[in-house]
Amino acid sequence: MSAYLYDALRTVRGKGNKKGALAGITPTHLLVSLLDELRERHDLDTTQVEDLILGCVTQVMDQGANIAKTAAQHSGYGDHLCGVTLNRFCGSGLEAINQAAAYVASGFKDLALAGGVESMSRVKMGSDGGAMAMDPAVAMPGHFVPQGISADLIASKYGYSRRDADAFAAESQRRAAHAQTNCYFSKSRIPVKDINGITVLDRDENIRPETTVDTLGGLDPSFAMMGAMGGFDAVAIDRYPEVETIDHIHHAGNSSAIVDGAALALVGSREAGERLGLKPRARIRSMAVYGTDPTMMLVGPAPASRLALKKAGMTREDIDLYEVNEAFAVVPLRFMDDLGVPHDKVNVNGGAIAMGHPLGATGAMLLGTLLDELERRDLSTGLVTLCIGGGMGIATILERV
């Protein structure tokens, strides 16, 4: 049995600080906005939706106490709608969709909603703590370093320069600005309105079309002091002694922006779609996760993609478009070199450097962006992949129907 994608929506992304347009909007409100939109677009019989599976990384405060069930309860879909919140770090939104697809493909569920949310202006990244970073008995033998140090380690080991990273970042901004101006996101991106129905934000707030390599060149490295004063450079070099020094090339302009946002996909069997008069847009062809060294941490997309391709009986040439999360510029740069994929097939409408990375929602957002662009270009297959904290990668292959 196959799992089909009937729709995929996301909110606009707002800057994830107290001055961001969505700082006054709760994550529950973001999710219910999407649930309302899905119901209205498809005249959806909500009694047929069995579960809401959500990715959310920092599950405290506004995002605590199982935000999936909170949103389900607040949605008006009915008391029958269950909810579960999961955390696979930055891969959480895609993992949620993969789990929904697995339920459907196994026959255990007929129709489910899946996606993710992160309100980073309201719930600060890292505020949930965790032994991986905070407990020396765990962190030290694990050679723990923050992700920014991992990104700079990859650059140092494989020879990516500051100019390489800045050129990629400037192109991400250019592509995103072009896509936004030409309404490429309009099909699946909804504005965020307040409780009075007044529009708070109707575009992705972080895109900076004026960005150039020269303007990025004036920014200071973000992780140099952390690496030196915190001792993390020494930890990375101890794990990779062939790297003599860490070249700190990443900064705020070539790393993913902190933003607020949510995304949801409607996943179901063909029979459920026929019963409800829904037309499938794509099917989930395969999915995979893959673990790598936790110190280098961010190189998981390539091996996860290879595994997903193998499971689908496909090669990299069979994929028309790729979405690779731009956690840091070096992540897609390394992916393209490792897998042998040209930049004109990767992140064709920009990525998280330009639009932002709302941790638990990003994977679901990328899936929707990919599907829209496959349809716009009348192409067939696409692959979404993200690097994940702790040294993991996740990948999902879509095929239009």
Side-chain angles (χ1 to χ4, degrees):
M1 185 182 295
S2 293
Y4 292 89
L5 194 65
Y6 287 99
D7 210 350
L9 300 180
R10 72 170 177 94
T11 66
V12 293
R13 285 177 260 201
K15 292 181 179 180
N17 57 52
K18 62 182 181 181
K19 295 182 180 178
L22 302 183
I25 304 296
T26 67
T28 299
H29 184 88
L30 293 176
L31 289 165
V32 171
S33 297
L34 291 168
L35 289 162
D36 287 346
E37 181 70 17
L38 279 167
R39 177 173 50 201
E40 292 167 11
R41 281 194 182 192
H42 301 287
D43 192 22
L44 186 62
D45 179 357
T46 60
T47 65
Q48 302 300 302
V49 182
E50 298 170 66
D51 209 352
L52 174 59
I53 305 172
L54 281 182
C56 182
V57 174
T58 313
Q59 296 180 33
V60 295
M61 298 183 290
D62 283 346
Q63 296 174 171
N66 190 359
I67 191 171
K69 180 54 184 173
T70 302
Q73 182 176 311
H74 198 53
S75 68
Y77 270 48
D79 291 343
H80 74 283
L81 182 57
C82 296
V84 61
T85 308
L86 60 85
N87 181 6
R88 200 188 284 278
F89 295 150
C90 298
S92 299
L94 190 58
E95 174 67 23
I97 292 172
N98 288 352
Q99 288 196 18
Y103 271 123
V104 169
S106 69
F108 290 128
K109 294 186 191 297
D110 294 324
L111 193 67
L113 287 161
V117 67
E118 207 80 33
S119 183
M120 301 180 78
S121 64
R122 301 173 69 90
V123 184
K124 301 304 179 185
M125 181 169 51
S127 56
D128 55 341
M132 183 185 292
M134 305 304 292
D135 183 352
V138 176
M140 292 178 68
H143 284 84
F144 170 82
V145 297
Q147 286 195 357
I149 302 297
S150 292
D152 288 339
L153 171 61
I154 295 168
S156 303
K157 180 172 173 60
Y158 294 106
Y160 298 102
S161 69
R162 166 72 180 257
R163 189 165 185 86
D164 293 334
D166 286 355
F168 183 90
E171 179 64 7
S172 178
Q173 292 282 359
R174 188 197 69 78
R175 291 182 180 190
H178 176 80
Q180 180 155 266
T181 298
N182 288 277
C183 302
Y184 293 172
F185 303 132
S186 297
K187 182 176 182 178
S188 298
R189 185 186 69 179
I190 69 167
V192 173
K193 300 178 180 181
D194 65 15
I195 59 174
N196 298 309
I198 298 172
T199 298
V200 176
L201 185 66
D202 63 0
R203 59 185 173 82
D204 292 315
E205 192 176 18
N206 196 71
I207 297 174
R208 300 184 298 277
E210 71 282 359
T211 301
T212 66
V213 174
D214 289 338
T215 59
L216 293 174
L219 298 176
D220 293 330
S222 295
F223 308 105
M225 183 175 294
M226 177 189 297
M229 301 299 289
F232 292 116
D233 282 0
V235 174
I237 292 170
D238 182 60
R239 181 68 182 83
Y240 289 90
E242 68 272 24
V243 178
E244 294 184 3
T245 59
I246 303 298
D247 184 11
H248 291 285
I249 71 167
H250 288 94
H251 52 75
N254 61 26
S255 306
S256 56
I258 293 172
V259 294
D260 302 335
L264 284 179
L266 183 61
V267 182
S269 66
R270 182 177 287 277
E271 292 75 17
E274 290 173 350
R275 186 169 66 248
L276 294 171
L278 300 170
K279 183 179 179 180
R281 296 174 65 188
R283 72 181 179 104
I284 307 292
R285 179 77 179 264
S286 75
M287 62 187 78
V289 292
Y290 198 95
T292 67
D293 169 52
T295 303
M296 191 165 282
M297 190 183 312
L298 307 175
V299 293
S305 297
R306 286 194 184 95
L307 184 55
L309 288 166
K310 180 180 179 181
K311 288 178 179 294
M314 303 172 75
T315 68
R316 66 188 180 192
E317 289 81 10
D318 294 322
I319 301 299
D320 295 314
L321 294 176
Y322 292 81
E323 285 289 330
V324 184
N325 188 38
E326 297 173 1
F328 302 88
V330 77
V331 174
L333 287 172
R334 185 62 199 151
F335 173 86
M336 290 187 288
D337 287 345
D338 195 351
L339 209 64
V341 177
H343 196 185
D344 62 6
K345 295 177 73 172
V346 176
N347 299 1
V348 295
N349 291 326
I353 289 173
M355 291 177 282
H357 175 22
L359 306 177
T362 305
M365 288 185 168
L366 294 182
L367 199 74
T369 297
L370 175 66
L371 180 54
D372 283 354
E373 191 63 16
L374 288 172
E375 291 175 344
R376 194 182 74 82
R377 298 187 181 204
D378 195 22
L379 298 173
S380 177
T381 57
L383 185 151
V384 177
T385 185
L386 300 91
C387 61
I388 304 173
M392 296 182 282
I394 187 170
T396 301
I397 296 176
L398 276 185
E399 182 178 55
R400 285 180 60 207
V401 295

